Amino acid sequence: MSTGPIAQERRGHSAPVSSTADNARICARGAEKGRGYCGRKTTAAKATSDWAAVVCTDCEAARRADLAEEGERR
């Protein structure tokens, strides 16, 4: 891959990946069995219904998006 000015410009505008690693995450329970709120597969030991205990950036981002959408509807 080129490291020229076009590639540098693209990298400058890309958002950093901030997903939590599988071995470190604790997801919020989702509506679907075996899935976290973020939609990733999870086990019962790695899922919780207490949002204060959630350690999954994807679940937190999904919740923020849902709350923002709910606020826009009002």
Side-chain angles (χ1 to χ4, degrees), residues 29-48:
R29 281 192 173 80
E32 202 176 317
K33 185 176 177 158
R35 298 279 179 179
Y37 196 80
C38 59
R40 294 167 71 182
K41 284 186 180 180
T42 188
T43 62
K46 292 281 193 171
T48 182

Side-chain angles (χ1 to χ4, degrees), residues 12 17 36 47 56:
V17 176
C56 175

Side-chain angles (χ1 to χ4, degrees), residues 18-72:
S18 63
S19 184
T20 308
D22 286 340
N23 63 348
R25 71 182 164 94
I26 299 174
C27 289
R29 281 192 173 80
E32 202 176 317
K33 185 176 177 158
R35 298 279 179 179
Y37 196 80
C38 59
R40 294 167 71 182
K41 284 186 180 180
T42 188
T43 62
K46 292 281 193 171
T48 182
S49 57
D50 180 17
W51 278 101
V54 172
V55 187
C56 175
T57 55
D58 296 335
C59 284
E60 292 168 348
R63 182 177 188 213
R64 278 193 308 273
D66 287 348
L67 291 174
E69 183 181 335
E70 184 179 302
E72 290 176 3

